[in-house]
Amino acid sequence: MADQPIVLGIETSCDETGIGIVRGHTLLADTIASSIDEHARFGGVVPEVASRAHLDAMSPTVESALAKAGLRLADIDAIAVTAGPGLAGALLVGVAAAKAYALGLGIPLYGVNHLAAHVAVDQLEHGPLPKPCLAMLVSGGHSSLLLVPDVAKEVISLGSTVDDAAGEAFDKVARVLGLPFPGGPHIDRAARDGSATAIAFPRGKADDGTLDFSFSGLKTAVARYVEKHGGSLSIPDVAASFQEAVVDVLTRKALAACAQHDVHDLLIGGGVAANSRLRALAQERCDAAGVRLRVPRPGLCTDNGAMVAALGANLLEAGIAPSPLTIPADSSLPITTIHV
Amino acid sequence: MLVLAFDTATPAVTAALHDGTRVLAESTTVDARRHGELLAPAIEAVLAESGASLGEVTAVVAGAGPGPYTGLRVGLMTARALGATLGVPAFGVCTLDALAYATESADPFVVVTDARRKELFWARYGDARTRVDGPRVARPHDVPDGLPIVGVRLYEEIVGEVSGPEHLSAGALAALAAERLAGLTPEQALVVARLPEGRIDSEEAAQGRGVLGPAVPIYLRRPDAQIPGAPKKVTA
Ligand SMILES: [Zn+2]
C-alpha cells in the first residue's frame, strides 16, 4: 500500500500539541508535547498557557514526528488539522501552522472535527470502522454518544452531557479528595483499593429515557460526603464508588443507544476511555448484549495528532474537497460538521 | 533577495513582498478578529500580485509584537512553518520597530499600540531606526510625554495627539528587514533566526532583543491565571 497518501495531522484543541503521520490507515508516527505540567498548579487547563505552549512546541514536534516516520516535509501529501471544537486560542495556533504547511508545500488542507477524529483513530489499531458504529467519547472536554454511519460523511449526535464532562467530574472529585490534576489516573489508582459499593452515589439521568448525561449532581454529592466524613474518610472507597457511578451510567447509556439503533459495534474514545474500570465494565456489558467493543490503546484515546491524520485519510479516500485557506478555528464546531 | 513579511500584532492583517530594493506588493486588511482567516490568503494575494512564487522567497519575516496574543501567534506560527517548508530562515521583528521605521523620522518620538485592558504597548525612539527604550506595557499615564506620539489613536486626552500610521503595514516591516538582512552573511542570518531556549515574556527580555531576531513573540505579560485555593464548600 505504498501508494496510499501520507497525511500529517495537527491537534491543538486543548493542552496537547499532537502531530501524527499516517500512510492510508497505517500509523507512521504519533508525537505529543503536553503542557499539562504547566497547568497542574492551576488545577485545570489555562487557555493562554496552552496557546503559548503550542507555539513553542509545534515545530519541534513536527520535526520529531517526521524523524520517527523517516520522512521529510516534502513527502507529505496532505495536512489535516483540528478546526474545532476546543479552546479558541489553542486551535488557532494549529490551524495557522496547518495552513502554512499546506501553502508552503502546495498540498491540500483538511480542517476537521476533533470529535470525529476521536472516532477515526480506532482504524489505526482495529482496521476499518463498521458502518454504522456507535461511538461514546468521554474526556475532560466531552461526553457524547454518536451514531456514525460513515466517519467521513455522516456523524449523528444521540446525546451529550447537560453539565460537566465525565473527565471534568474526575478532575473535580480528585481535587476534593486532595489528589493531583489531572484526576482520572489518580482516581483509577486509588479506586483499586476501595469498594465500588461502599457509598451509594447518585446516577444522574440514568433512567430518564434520554441518551444525555449529567455529572454535576454526582460531583456535588461526593463533595458533600467528603465534607461530612472529613476525618474518617476512606479515599479508596470514595474513589471507587464515585468511579462506579460514572462508568455505570456511561456504559448503561452506551448500550441503550446500541439497542435503540440496532448497532452491534461500540467504540469508546477520549481520555476517560483509559479508565480501567470503564474498560472492564464496558466489556462485560457488551459481551452480555452481543455488542463488539472497540477501544483504542490509551495513547490513542487521549488527544493526539494521529487521530486527526486518520480522519484526514478518510476524507481523502472519500474524495472530499479540501478546505480553503480561509477556514476559521471554531471553538464550538458542531459534531455534525465533520470537516470545514 | 525576496523577503516575505507579514504582521498580525495590531488590528491589521498585513503582508508584503520586498526584493531588497522595493516593495513589490502589499496587502492590508483591518479586522482584529480574523487574523487566522485572513493571513494565508493575504500571502497568496501578494505573491499573485507580484508574479513571484513561494519557492523564490529567501526569508520570511513576521511582526513579533508586542500585540494581543491570539493574533500575534498566527503570524509567528505561520512564519516558522513557512520557513520550514521553504527551507529559508524565519525572523521576527518588533512590530513597534517597523511602525517607527515607517515614520522615516530623524527626531525622537514614541510609538504606541493597543495592549487592551486600558494599557498601551510603547517604545521610545531616537529616530526611525533607533529604539532607545521599550517595548514596554503601561497605563496611558505612564507613556513618556513631551515627545511626538505615533501609532494607535487611543487615550489621546492622556497621551496627547497621536499621528502617523495607526496600524502597521507590512511594506515597512519588509523594508526594515531587507535593510538589516543586506548587512548580514547567510551564516550570520541563520544565527539570528535560531530559536532561543525559553520565552521572551518580560520587559527585561524584550529590551535585549535586536531589530532582527528569531520568530519569537514579545508577550510582555505573563499569562494571568489564579492558583486555586481550597475547594468551595457545597454545604452551607
Ligand atoms: Zn478530545
Side-chain angles (χ1 to χ4, degrees):
Chain A
M1 298 279 188
D3 56 342
Q4 285 188 305
I6 296 175
V7 183
L8 182 136
I10 300 176
E11 155 61 31
T12 62
S13 68
C14 193
D15 61 303
E16 323 268 12
T17 311
I19 302 297
I21 304 176
V22 298
R23 175 184 278 125
H25 281 120
T26 305
L27 181 60
L28 302 182
D30 180 26
T31 308
I32 285 172
S34 174
S35 60
I36 197 71
D37 294 345
E38 290 183 66
H39 304 285
R41 66 200 177 100
F42 301 113
V45 172
V46 181
E48 176 62 20
V49 172
S51 301
R52 290 187 184 194
H54 286 309
L55 175 62
D56 293 347
M58 182 62 65
S59 304
T61 311
V62 168
E63 278 165 30
S64 96
L66 287 166
K68 210 176 217 171
L71 298 170
R72 296 165 308 129
L73 269 175
D75 298 320
I76 305 297
D77 296 310
I79 304 282
V81 62
T82 300
L87 301 170
L91 289 168
L92 201 55
V93 177
V95 171
K99 288 179 180 179
Y101 286 124
L103 178 64
L105 296 169
I107 59 177
L109 168 76
Y110 288 91
V112 309
N113 189 301
H114 177 84
L115 297 172
H118 268 304
V119 177
V121 73
D122 189 58
Q123 300 164 98
L124 301 178
E125 254 203 334
H126 300 123
L129 291 172
K131 297 181 182 181
C133 68
L134 207 126
M136 178 165 71
L137 302 181
V138 274
S139 75
H142 17 271
S143 304
S144 303
L145 276 172
L146 308 172
L147 179 61
V148 186
D150 181 340
V151 73
K153 292 180 179 159
E154 190 182 16
V155 175
I156 299 160
S157 175
L158 302 178
S160 60
T161 182
V162 298
D163 40 55
D164 293 347
E168 215 178 332
F170 273 90
D171 287 339
K172 288 176 177 170
V173 165
R175 215 181 126 207
V176 165
L177 292 176
L179 299 172
F181 172 85
H186 296 281
I187 288 193
D188 197 348
R189 210 168 302 132
R192 280 173 210 164
D193 303 321
S195 161
T197 53
I199 309 151
F201 285 130
R203 267 76 168 152
K205 297 183 78 65
D207 301 307
D208 69 344
T210 73
L211 294 173
D212 289 328
F213 304 104
S214 166
F215 298 108
S216 171
L218 169 60
K219 167 198 76 190
T220 308
V222 175
R224 277 214 178 92
Y225 182 90
V226 170
E227 265 174 44
K228 207 167 143 196
H229 296 80
S232 59
L233 196 71
S234 160
I235 288 180
D237 281 350
V238 176
S241 299
F242 157 76
Q243 176 173 279
E244 193 66 15
V246 174
V247 306
D248 178 27
V249 178
L250 289 176
T251 51
R252 256 200 263 179
K253 295 248 172 181
L255 283 151
C258 288
Q260 276 176 36
H261 294 272
D262 194 26
V263 176
H264 303 280
D265 292 273
L266 172 64
L267 188 160
I268 304 183
V272 178
N275 181 276
S276 63
R277 181 60 189 149
L278 175 59
R279 287 175 172 245
L281 189 60
Q283 191 63 61
E284 202 178 290
R285 291 184 171 172
C286 281
D287 289 347
V291 169
R292 284 176 294 265
L293 177 65
R294 298 166 66 116
V295 191
R297 63 181 155 83
L300 293 180
C301 282
T302 45
D303 293 348
N304 62 77
M307 67 191 217
V308 180
L311 180 54
N314 285 106
L315 295 171
L316 269 173
E317 205 175 78
I320 285 166
S323 307
L325 289 178
T326 51
I327 56 166
D330 184 349
S331 59
S332 54
L333 188 69
I335 176 57
T336 42
T337 306
I338 297 166
H339 62 95
V340 293
Chain B
M1 181 192 305
L2 188 62
V3 176
L4 170 62
F6 39 83
D7 186 280
T8 53
T10 77
V13 177
T14 178
L17 271 174
H18 194 288
D19 68 359
T21 317
R22 64 187 185 93
V23 175
L24 303 180
E26 181 176 304
S27 155
T28 301
T29 310
V30 178
D31 188 342
R33 303 184 147 268
R34 296 175 62 222
H35 288 125
E37 293 156 62
L38 297 172
L39 180 58
I43 292 170
E44 285 188 308
V46 294
L47 287 165
E49 190 189 325
S50 65
S53 78
L54 264 181
E56 297 168 66
V57 168
T58 57
V60 181
V61 179
Y69 313 138
T70 304
L72 174 61
R73 279 186 286 265
V74 168
L76 290 160
M77 187 67 256
T78 302
R80 291 186 189 180
L82 267 183
T85 59
L86 303 176
V88 303
F91 301 95
V93 168
C94 172
T95 297
L96 304 186
D97 288 357
L99 262 163
Y101 187 77
T103 66
E104 300 181 353
S105 173
D107 301 311
F109 60 97
V110 170
V111 171
V112 293
T113 61
D114 187 7
R116 301 196 185 154
R117 300 188 209 166
K118 298 180 182 165
E119 292 188 314
L120 291 167
F121 294 121
W122 67 268
R124 189 159 57 85
Y125 292 82
D127 59 49
R129 288 182 173 80
T130 315
R131 174 164 27 104
V132 292
D133 190 9
R136 296 180 184 277
V137 58
R139 298 193 157 267
H141 284 286
D142 298 323
V143 171
D145 48 17
L147 289 174
I149 307 275
V150 171
V152 71
R153 283 154 189 62
L154 282 175
Y155 316 112
E156 287 190 281
E157 70 286 3
I158 301 169
V159 300
E161 192 190 326
V162 181
S163 65
E166 183 156 18
H167 308 306
L168 179 63
S169 68
L173 176 66
L176 172 57
E179 187 178 292
R180 294 293 169 139
L181 281 168
L184 298 178
T185 65
E187 294 73 27
Q188 287 170 325
L190 284 177
V191 171
V192 170
R194 189 174 300 149
L195 293 175
E197 300 286 327
R199 298 175 188 167
I200 301 178
D201 55 4
S202 67
E203 290 190 347
E204 301 73 57
Q207 305 273 330
R209 210 183 136 109
V211 170
L212 199 64
V216 172
I218 303 171
Y219 288 125
L220 299 189
R221 289 186 188 119
R222 303 198 187 276
D224 37 32
Q226 301 266 316
I227 294 174
K232 281 197 199 88
K233 291 259 183 223
V234 286
T235 46

